[in-house]
Amino acid sequence: MDLHSGLPYWIIKNELFDYFNPLDADIETEVVIIGSGITGSLVAHELCEAKIPCVMIDKRTIATGSSAASTSQLQYEIDVPLSELIEKVGEEKAVKAYKDCLDSITDLENIYKKIKADPDFRRVPTTLLASNRKGLKLLKKEYEIRKKYDLPVDFLEKEELKEQLNLDAPGALYNETSAQMDCYKGATSILKYHLKQSNFQLFSHTLITDYEETSSGYKLLTEGGNTIKCKYVIIAAGFEAGEFLPKKVMDLLSTYVIISQPVYEDMLWKNRSLIWETKEPYLYMRTTVDNRIIVGGEDISFSNPKHRDSRLRNKIKKLENKFKKMFPEIPFVTDMAWCGTFSATKDGLPFIGAWPEKPNMLFALGYGGNGITFSMIAAQMIRNIVEDKEEPRLDVYGFNEDRI
Ligand SMILES: Cc1cc2nc3c(=O)[nH]c(=O)nc-3n(C[C@H](O)[C@H](O)[C@H](O)COP(=O)(O)OP(=O)(O)OC[C@H]3O[C@@H](n4cnc5c(N)ncnc54)[C@H](O)[C@@H]3O)c2cc1C
């Protein structure tokens, strides 16, 4: 599947990790990770830290799937408000998911400190705007419930919002625990580090076409006719993971992104917070370290890449107009634009762990608008499962009967 098109800024800003190493022999290892995006990279990091031998396979140039198109906003709040998530999955699981996402931002930060890489990881606040009166009501409810569970949150009244961000909205939720990064650099810096430091092998341009269960795990078959024997196979194949799943567990959506030319720093909104809103589909925005502005949204259901791409020109105009209405004083000139595919699950939570009766095939599917924080959680869970440690988070994110 064509995962994105247009010109994602990150692939231009960074030097392409131009690594060409197709698998051309039969090999054997403990763990095979399919997918070199941010999810596979974080899984590889956790396994390498645990000194577990692993091999990563990708059919594309490294990390050029969805991770290269991501706007990479890291927030503890997921697409489904906590009050709604409680209704869907119950209080305990919903609060756990929100807290896991909060922790995962610090866990990501610590990984980059440890490997001494800077994927433009920056701590920034989040402002969640009420789009209208209905949104304001939702945010007031959400504020109370997040407070009850000790989640970091403030409520900004209309006047405070005007003063702090020069924004007109009926109110907003605000917290200072979020972050932003460059997901492409985030994935490739981890891989480069472990290629040097660890017992880790990386094969690009190698498509896994088939697999069979063996008495000791799996035998994977590549398009080139080679086999890989392993104990565990980790499916970090992003939105193309459906081919490994017995049943569809998510819906695909397309989202559109524009990035401005740089502006003078003092023209940006104060505090450079991530901004999004209660309306659906929501508009989302952030700044970059070189003082550009990224605006995304205008999501539609995904039918095929051609349909998604044909809407890009029109969506650019819509996003520009929405931004200009919100911040008329900021000169926004679109430099690049792209669209990408992402997916949503019924309850807004990712799928992590083994499909029932396939204990050695572990899925790391960070579906939803918070894919990266979910990838971090998935990587930790997979390490624990492979190390045969208890993993209570399976109760929340696993392929449990009530979720599939
Ligand atoms: C425009 C956009 C904006 C987003 N914004 C945010 C955001 O602000 N915050 C956030 O947290 N998340 C965001 N997301 C979601 C986030 O980017 C994704 O969840 C994340 O990048 C997924 O990473 P991944 O590694 O799972 O998948 P990918 O990066 O797609 O990597 C999967 C890899 O698997 C490989 N693969 C698949 N099948 C096979 C096979 N059979 N054989 C070999 N290789 C295979 C692919 O080639 C691919 O490289 C956004 C997504 C998009 C598209």
Side-chain angles (χ1 to χ4, degrees):
M1 194 206 297
D2 181 1
L3 290 171
H4 55 79
S5 54
L7 207 49
Y9 164 66
W10 315 110
I11 306 184
I12 297 168
K13 176 184 158 268
N14 293 289
E15 194 181 324
L16 187 72
F17 182 26
D18 207 5
Y19 182 91
F20 180 69
N21 188 28
L23 181 68
D24 60 3
D26 295 344
I27 56 169
E28 206 169 330
T29 184
E30 177 108 4
V31 183
V32 172
I33 302 163
I34 302 180
S36 68
I38 190 67
T39 312
S41 304
L42 289 168
V43 171
H45 175 77
E46 289 297 322
L47 296 179
C48 289
E49 290 295 287
K51 308 248 175 303
I52 298 166
C54 56
V55 165
M56 179 180 280
I57 305 284
D58 203 303
K59 63 182 178 183
R60 292 189 169 82
T61 297
I62 298 303
T64 56
S66 302
S67 299
S70 183
T71 52
S72 311
Q73 304 179 189
L74 309 174
Q75 297 166 186
Y76 80 77
E77 45 204 354
I78 69 168
D79 284 353
V80 180
L82 181 57
S83 48
E84 273 176 37
L85 192 61
I86 288 176
E87 279 165 30
K88 284 175 192 269
V89 301
E91 200 162 273
E92 199 183 330
K93 289 181 185 173
V95 173
K96 173 88 183 106
Y98 264 63
K99 293 204 164 165
D100 285 348
C101 286
L102 179 63
D103 291 344
S104 72
I105 302 171
T106 307
D107 296 338
L108 278 159
E109 187 174 29
N110 287 338
I111 288 179
Y112 294 111
K113 276 187 194 153
K114 162 116 210 265
I115 67 168
K116 296 192 174 57
D118 179 16
D120 296 349
F121 185 100
R122 299 288 182 276
R123 285 287 182 171
V124 282
T126 287
T127 310
L128 168 54
L129 301 172
S131 310
N132 45 34
R133 268 211 246 144
K134 190 174 155 216
L136 185 64
K137 205 168 147 204
L138 170 74
L139 291 193
K140 287 197 163 156
K141 185 172 171 196
E142 194 62 14
Y143 173 72
E144 292 304 328
I145 205 141
R146 289 197 204 173
K147 271 273 172 226
K148 177 176 168 197
Y149 292 107
D150 282 332
L151 285 158
V153 66
D154 282 320
F155 190 86
L156 298 185
E157 299 290 350
K158 188 176 168 54
E159 301 69 36
E160 291 172 286
L161 195 55
K162 184 75 188 164
E163 197 187 294
Q164 284 196 20
L165 281 155
N166 199 18
L167 266 178
D168 287 312
L173 291 188
Y174 178 84
N175 74 73
E176 296 194 337
T177 54
S178 317
Q180 62 185 36
M181 66 185 271
D182 166 347
C183 182
Y184 175 73
K185 195 171 174 190
T188 52
S189 58
I190 289 176
L191 298 177
K192 286 175 190 171
Y193 175 85
H194 286 294
L195 277 172
K196 276 198 194 139
Q197 306 287 334
S198 313
N199 186 5
F200 170 64
Q201 294 178 76
L202 175 59
F203 296 99
S204 66
H205 305 95
T206 303
L207 172 70
I208 301 294
T209 51
D210 208 355
Y211 58 88
E212 62 186 64
E213 274 182 76
T214 63
S215 55
S216 55
Y218 277 94
K219 186 159 109 181
L220 309 176
L221 185 71
T222 72
E223 192 181 31
N226 293 114
T227 58
I228 315 170
K229 284 189 193 150
C230 58
K231 182 167 177 202
Y232 286 102
V233 57
I234 315 299
I235 310 297
F239 308 124
E240 294 164 312
E243 62 194 87
F244 298 94
L245 281 165
K247 191 175 156 188
K248 180 173 167 248
V249 293
M250 78 292 194
D251 290 318
L252 291 179
L253 300 159
S254 298
T255 188
Y256 297 83
V257 182
I258 52 176
I259 184 165
S260 72
Q261 292 174 1
V263 299
Y264 292 111
E265 191 170 2
D266 59 5
M267 287 180 163
L268 293 169
W269 55 93
K270 232 169 29 182
N271 78 22
R272 303 177 73 134
S273 75
L274 310 177
I275 299 176
W276 64 306
E277 56 176 355
T278 54
K279 205 161 55 188
E280 281 183 33
Y282 56 81
L283 196 69
Y284 49 97
M285 55 185 86
R286 57 165 281 190
T287 61
T288 63
V289 289
D290 57 349
N291 300 330
R292 293 168 187 266
I293 299 156
I294 298 180
V295 183
E298 285 292 313
D299 304 359
I300 52 169
S301 343
F302 174 85
S303 50
N304 58 63
K306 207 168 155 199
H307 174 254
R308 178 194 65 202
D309 300 351
S310 68
R311 310 285 294 270
L312 181 58
R313 206 164 274 278
N314 177 268
K315 296 287 189 181
I316 292 172
K317 280 271 151 282
K318 285 194 168 167
L319 290 171
E320 284 173 347
N321 289 341
K322 283 186 176 172
F323 180 81
K324 282 175 187 162
K325 201 168 157 211
M326 209 178 250
F327 288 111
E329 71 289 0
I330 302 180
F332 189 108
V333 180
T334 300
D335 216 0
M336 290 157 232
W338 63 95
C339 46
T341 298
F342 74 104
S343 72
T345 59
K346 263 195 286 180
D347 55 16
L349 296 176
F351 281 99
I352 305 169
W355 187 268
E357 286 147 41
K358 283 182 182 272
N360 289 30
M361 180 176 276
L362 304 175
F363 289 84
L365 310 179
Y367 294 149
N370 291 54
I372 303 168
T373 48
F374 291 153
S375 303
M376 184 67 254
I377 297 167
Q380 294 164 344
M381 288 176 63
I382 280 170
R383 172 180 177 169
N384 283 344
I385 298 168
V386 171
E387 287 194 300
D388 214 9
K389 290 187 182 151
E390 217 169 298
E391 187 36 87
R393 286 172 287 190
L394 282 171
D395 248 10
V396 185
Y397 310 113
F399 291 96
N400 306 320
E401 235 173 80
D402 50 341
R403 298 193 69 214
I404 54 177

